[in-house]
Amino acid sequence: MTATEAGPPAMDPENSGSADAGPDIVAADTDSALSIGAIVPAGAGAGAAERIAALRARLMSPMPDDGLWGWLGPLLVTAFAAFLRFYRLATPHALIFDETYYAKDAWSILQHGVEWNLVKNANDLILAGHDNIFQPCSGTGCGEYVVQPPVGKLLIAAGEWLYGLDPLGWRVASAFFGTLAVLIMCRIARRLTRSTLLGCVAGLLLALDGLEFVLSRTGILDIFLMFFVLAAFGALVVDRDVSRARLASDMVLRPGDEAGPRLGIRKWRVAAGVLIGLACASKQDAVWYLFAFVGLAIAWDIGARRAAGLRDYVRGALVRDGKWLPVTLGVIPLVTYILTWSGWLITSTGYDRNYAQTKGVTTPVISALYSLFEYHKEMLQFGVGLSSHHPYMSQPWGWMVISRPVAFYYQCYTSSAATHVCPAGYTGPEWSQEVLAIGNPAIWWAAIPAMLFCLGWWLTRRDWRAGAAVLGVAAGWLTWLPFVSRTKFYYYALEYEPFMILCIVLCLGLIIGPAAASLRRRAIGSALAGVYVLAVLILFWYFYPILAGRIIPYMSWLSHMWYHGWI
């Protein structure tokens, strides 16, 4: 039960073990499911609408009836996030961290359709205002060996097409998608909790997290990975609502056997398939979310038919719903992924593009796909075997406590005007400029008990929201644990950060209390939740100078380094 849901306490039938234990806490939104009156044909009988309403009441509870505020609140939070991300976006004027790869790769895709080999002084040329950074090319030996798929670079290229090969150009797409993620977060959390207030809190927490903030202002791939994973999850959550509404109406209007009606191919699952395909085409780590979301979809289908009172709910879910899963979460993501390689497929200058021809395979289409397959084998071997030392590398078990954030950029100046960098051996007054990829401690450290609580909540009460949030964290975190020797960085955790925040928001909903609680109980709970959000805001303000590349005295910079692992 969420903090602001109206009406008596509700219990999810699929969580309680009884098909008639009570209504679910999730319902179809008015903009995503037909009203009962609209779906009942004229000759269906006087009691059809009542039976559909009763069955829906067992499966779901209503969305917040707050009209315009359901969109206005999230949009205001998003506007705040946009201001934070776009303000001083071109600062610092440098290629920071992995921008040295992706900004140039994106420009190459924009000019040639694929990544070309670069001249050695490409960075200096770019910062001096030049954009001719490619080695001379003739024939097919021009392609640069890259190990990440193209979607993130295509989006960065769109920004460079608009603003040119400069910091604003290669960062604007990240800022846009990092901001849009805040809006999606608000709407997903609102749908999960049935509370616009908690939805806005979820978006605000994402907007005020330092890691999401920094990656929204850096031209690298992880913000796109996170965005598409989150959007795919949101599509599945909407599908859960819509499919339950359809199940209720079809069981009344088209009654059948104990397995229940066939719901057919579902548009929101198609959307989820496209989005998870785009996530994999941003960084291939997203493949673990594909497997997680397949499991989530099956579990939700079984739970829906069981809650509806169907005795053969497993067969109904696995056969009648599940037969479309290989299409929506199998074929569609794969086709989407391959289509994103169109630039590589239709040109002849990409790395390994003509591998098949060297092996005697010249059949059109088959030749290109064979070359792409062999290229991916090389990419996989590189990704799994990467073990070079890096001063900011870290292991996943330290990510939750922020043991080793990543310095994307650091420069020392002799004055606050930043006209001269500190020379070697300089001992005079120093000013520092840093972009440090570090999460907000009030979010990351609070997420640890929140996630443990949600895990226990799911194990003991089978709350589907808690289970989904914990699964989202596990898909992005646990899957890194086996690769101990592989070089890894803290900012990889961005992909599962939205699910951490969902765990926090679910706990905040319990702290605030149900709508039926006493005024004193809700006042105390709301005050505690408000203090927490205020703490998040204060810590974001405190860390802002080292997140946004502000020039500050060295001692002020040092005071932000709470322990040696942050330096």
Side-chain angles (χ1 to χ4, degrees):
M1 191 68 180
T2 64
T4 61
E5 182 182 352
M11 184 165 54
D12 190 343
E14 70 183 76
N15 299 338
S16 65
S18 171
D20 57 357
D24 191 2
I25 55 173
V26 175
D29 199 349
T30 55
D31 59 4
S32 60
L34 295 174
S35 66
I36 294 175
I39 62 175
V40 179
E50 289 79 4
R51 294 196 301 273
I52 293 173
L55 187 53
R56 284 194 181 183
R58 293 175 59 188
L59 291 172
M60 55 191 69
S61 59
M63 288 287 287
D65 185 18
D66 47 15
L68 184 62
W69 176 244
W71 276 104
L72 184 58
L75 287 173
L76 288 174
V77 174
T78 304
F80 174 64
F83 171 76
L84 293 175
R85 280 148 183 76
F86 283 94
Y87 177 62
R88 300 176 65 252
L89 181 59
T91 301
H93 185 78
L95 287 153
I96 68 174
F97 204 66
D98 281 357
E99 286 183 345
T100 190
Y101 303 115
Y102 302 124
K104 294 177 289 189
D105 288 346
W107 185 253
S108 181
I109 290 174
L110 186 62
Q111 301 299 315
H112 305 293
V114 291
E115 300 89 340
W116 274 19
N117 290 314
L118 306 163
V119 296
K120 291 184 178 180
N121 62 334
N123 285 13
D124 294 333
L125 290 173
I126 291 171
L127 296 178
H130 305 291
D131 57 19
N132 186 13
I133 57 175
F134 307 106
Q135 295 181 11
C137 176
S138 60
T140 60
C142 316
E144 179 190 13
Y145 175 56
V146 296
V147 295
Q148 296 293 358
V151 160
K153 290 173 280 188
L154 286 167
L155 295 172
I156 294 172
E160 292 176 340
W161 177 73
L162 289 171
Y163 298 104
L165 186 59
D166 59 28
L168 179 61
W170 63 67
R171 292 174 191 159
V172 69
S174 297
F176 176 79
F177 278 88
T179 300
L180 192 57
V182 172
L183 177 61
I184 292 178
M185 185 69 171
C186 289
R187 295 292 294 179
I188 290 174
R190 176 180 184 267
R191 186 172 287 272
L192 286 175
T193 64
R194 293 319 199 226
S195 165
T196 298
L197 173 62
L198 290 178
C200 291
V201 168
L204 185 61
L205 295 183
L206 189 62
L208 294 175
D209 179 68
L211 185 63
E212 207 272 356
F213 173 80
V214 168
L215 290 172
S216 294
R217 292 167 53 87
T218 307
I220 62 177
L221 307 181
D222 298 79
I223 195 70
F224 307 113
L225 166 64
M226 182 274 283
F227 172 83
F228 287 118
V229 166
L230 180 62
F233 175 71
L236 288 178
V237 172
V238 175
D239 174 75
R240 186 183 189 274
D241 286 1
V242 173
S243 63
R244 286 191 166 216
R246 286 189 55 198
L247 180 64
S249 60
D250 286 2
M251 284 180 63
V252 173
L253 300 177
R254 297 188 292 113
D257 59 19
E258 286 298 326
R262 294 175 173 83
L263 299 183
I265 194 165
R266 287 138 63 168
K267 64 179 182 180
W268 283 104
R269 283 205 179 162
V270 171
V274 171
L275 290 165
I276 198 63
L278 291 173
C280 292
S282 299
K283 290 185 81 171
Q284 288 138 343
D285 310 341
V287 70
W288 301 114
Y289 281 95
L290 177 60
F291 298 137
F293 290 167
V294 168
L296 203 60
I298 292 172
W300 286 353
D301 286 344
I302 292 175
R305 290 176 182 264
R306 177 173 174 264
L310 294 168
R311 294 179 182 177
D312 202 358
Y313 52 86
V314 175
R315 181 170 67 90
L318 296 182
V319 177
R320 296 185 176 174
D321 290 331
K323 68 180 181 181
W324 293 108
L325 275 178
V327 176
T328 55
L329 294 181
V331 174
I332 289 175
L334 178 61
V335 171
T336 300
Y337 180 85
I338 293 174
L339 287 176
T340 65
W341 283 85
S342 295
W344 187 91
L345 290 167
I346 65 179
T347 61
S348 60
T349 56
Y351 181 87
D352 256 3
R353 175 60 183 83
N354 299 302
Y355 176 91
Q357 286 89 328
T358 65
K359 300 299 181 181
V361 180
T362 58
T363 307
V365 181
I366 299 298
S367 173
L369 293 176
Y370 177 40
S371 297
L372 186 62
F373 174 74
E374 288 296 326
Y375 188 8
H376 275 70
K377 287 171 61 177
E378 292 185 47
M379 294 166 64
L380 180 62
Q381 291 169 0
F382 175 88
V384 173
L386 179 62
S387 58
S388 56
H389 176 76
H390 193 283
Y392 287 101
M393 62 189 292
S394 60
Q395 292 293 344
W397 46 82
W399 293 350
M400 301 294 188
V401 295
I402 324 179
S403 64
R404 190 60 171 155
V406 183
F408 278 12
Y409 177 84
Y410 181 87
Q411 189 60 265
C412 170
Y413 297 101
T414 59
S415 70
S416 60
T419 53
H420 297 90
V421 299
C422 300
Y426 177 74
T427 58
E430 297 180 18
W431 279 260
S432 297
Q433 182 183 30
E434 183 173 34
V435 176
L436 182 65
I438 183 172
N440 190 316
I443 293 175
W444 286 78
W445 295 347
I448 297 173
M451 289 185 294
L452 292 174
F453 178 84
C454 285
L455 177 61
W457 191 8
W458 176 74
L459 290 173
T460 58
R461 301 294 298 273
R462 289 296 187 266
D463 186 279
W464 69 272
R465 305 163 303 167
V470 170
L471 179 65
V473 174
W477 181 65
L478 291 179
T479 50
W480 282 108
L481 294 179
F483 303 100
V484 177
S485 62
R486 206 267 192 194
T487 307
K488 298 176 289 294
F489 298 93
Y490 162 65
Y491 68 86
Y492 292 177
L494 181 72
E495 63 188 277
Y496 65 78
E497 183 188 350
F499 300 97
M500 282 179 15
I501 291 175
L502 287 176
C503 290
I504 294 174
V505 169
L506 289 173
C507 292
L508 289 177
L510 293 175
I511 290 171
I512 294 173
S518 68
L519 180 61
R520 181 175 181 272
R521 163 72 177 82
R522 285 176 60 82
I524 294 174
S526 298
L528 292 174
V531 168
Y532 171 74
V533 174
L534 181 61
V536 171
L537 178 62
I538 291 172
L539 279 178
F540 178 81
W541 169 79
Y542 171 77
F543 283 107
Y544 179 80
I546 63 171
L547 300 173
R550 298 292 295 268
I551 298 171
I552 57 177
Y554 173 78
M555 293 307 298
S556 176
W557 170 84
L558 189 61
S559 70
H560 290 80
M561 303 296 108
W562 287 0
Y563 82 110
H564 63 86
W566 291 11
I567 299 175

